[in-house]
Amino acid sequence: MRAARLISLLLLVQSRGRMTAPRLAAELGVSERTVYRDVRALSESGVPIYAEQGGRGGYSLVDGYRTRLTGLTREEAEALFLSGAPAPAQALGLSDALSAARLKVLAALPAELSDVSSRVGARFFVDAPGWFQPVRATPELSAVADAVWADRLLAVRYRRRDKTVRRVLEPYGLVLKQSVWYLAARVDGALRIYRVDRFEEVAETGAGFVRDPEFDLAASWAQRSAEFERQMLAETAVIRLTPAGARGLRHAVGALAAAEALATAESDPDGTLTARLPIESVDIAHHDLLRLGAEVEVLAPAALRDRFAETARMLAKRYGVDAVASGSCA
């Protein structure tokens, strides 16, 4: 276990250049004290790794040093080929580069590992778009990706719901979520998220920008996604759920809303649960909770309860049921 960690530490410093102990600890999932011990062990074994002090300090390798670690286990080789994502790579204009890289890796593998590509391809396939959702056209994606790679400013025309705006962006990174590409970019020092398929025009300005070396795309995306979900879930509904309704809630509404509702739900004597459910609006909550049918009763707000009562009356009339008590929904 420690040997694998030492190799990982060495390869991190070799591939990324100077790295601080806190950054290495975060990457390796260990404490800073463990990083100090591992660096000392590498140094004692003859690896020319050294520390620089100061605000821009960290661990580095002597210029020109490259490890000659070339061995791959079968699990490592298979994981390498599993990490390939052909469709996103093609969208970014990298399909040729990906194919060339795969061929080079295959050529370098020992004979006993020559089957890893076919084994992985026969067993795993990633289909990113959701069901019944066509792949969205993103004609500007390649130009955006080029600017992201080269740290070049982008002048864009962006379509919002009510208007079109022009912005000059510092493009930091691209994120693919459920077949939709998003651009994380800085505007006047503030980070913003843009849907790439809403760019109506993209042009490089010819100028570059200095990337913040501390920017973490994955962490930033996770934070902004959580903030977005919480901002959208600005209202609350009080609902009563049967056991079946409680089990089905996460399939009817968003995962965040369902988790919060079930975490604070109170048990009723009849075996049902009373929960406070974060919702985006009455219309969306009505649409989503209808999926639970009779396994949910809306207690509040009154506007949402009335919508369910009206839906119940309409369904009773359509299916020939004699009457539905006004204002009730079970």
Side-chain angles (χ1 to χ4, degrees), residues 2 5 49 63 65 85 121 135 157 169 187 210 213 218 225 247 250 255 293 295:
R2 190 191 183 199
R5 190 177 68 243
I49 187 170
D63 291 345
Y65 177 83
V135 177
R157 190 170 76 236
L169 309 178
V187 184
V210 179
S225 296
R247 291 193 298 271
R250 65 185 181 90
E295 308 303 331

Side-chain angles (χ1 to χ4, degrees), residues 147-166:
V148 169
W149 281 116
D151 294 341
R152 293 195 295 264
L153 294 175
L154 279 177
V156 304
R157 190 170 76 236
Y158 185 73
R159 184 180 70 258
R160 289 182 173 173
R161 293 181 180 177
D162 55 343
K163 61 181 178 180
T164 298
V165 298
R166 291 185 178 273

Side-chain angles (χ1 to χ4, degrees), residues 3 8-9 30 60 106 132 138 141 184 207 210 240 248 252 265 286 323:
S8 297
L9 190 156
V30 298
S60 302
L106 277 173
F132 314 112
T138 50
L141 178 60
V210 179
R240 182 177 292 129
H286 175 254

Side-chain angles (χ1 to χ4, degrees), residues 10 16 20 45 77 115 137-138 146 150 159 215 224 236 245 263 299-300:
L10 174 56
R16 300 187 187 180
T20 64
S45 67
D115 65 330
T138 50
D146 287 344
R159 184 180 70 258
F215 177 76
R224 295 303 296 269
T236 302
L299 305 178

Side-chain angles (χ1 to χ4, degrees), residues 123-232:
R123 289 164 172 79
F124 299 97
F125 175 73
V126 178
D127 185 12
W131 289 106
F132 314 112
Q133 296 179 6
V135 177
R136 298 175 184 272
T138 50
E140 306 293 352
L141 178 60
S142 181
V144 173
D146 287 344
V148 169
W149 281 116
D151 294 341
R152 293 195 295 264
L153 294 175
L154 279 177
V156 304
R157 190 170 76 236
Y158 185 73
R159 184 180 70 258
R160 289 182 173 173
R161 293 181 180 177
D162 55 343
K163 61 181 178 180
T164 298
V165 298
R166 291 185 178 273
R167 296 285 186 269
V168 176
L169 309 178
E170 296 179 358
Y172 265 68
L174 285 161
V175 176
L176 178 63
K177 184 176 180 66
Q178 290 190 330
S179 80
V180 179
W181 285 96
Y182 296 87
L183 173 69
R186 289 194 184 277
V187 184
D188 299 325
L191 185 70
R192 298 284 186 269
I193 304 296
Y194 297 87
R195 281 182 57 149
V196 177
D197 60 356
R198 290 183 182 170
F199 285 133
E200 296 184 344
E201 181 181 334
V202 170
E204 289 190 17
T205 66
F209 68 94
V210 179
R211 173 180 291 265
D212 179 358
E214 300 300 321
F215 177 76
D216 186 323
L217 178 60
S220 178
W221 174 258
Q223 178 183 351
R224 295 303 296 269
S225 296
E227 291 174 355
F228 175 76
E229 287 193 52
R230 293 187 181 281
Q231 289 172 1
M232 296 300 291

Side-chain angles (χ1 to χ4, degrees), residues 18 44 50 89 99 158 288 294 321 323 326:
R18 185 180 298 112
E44 291 173 352
Y50 65 97
S99 296
Y158 185 73
D288 291 345
V321 179
S326 178

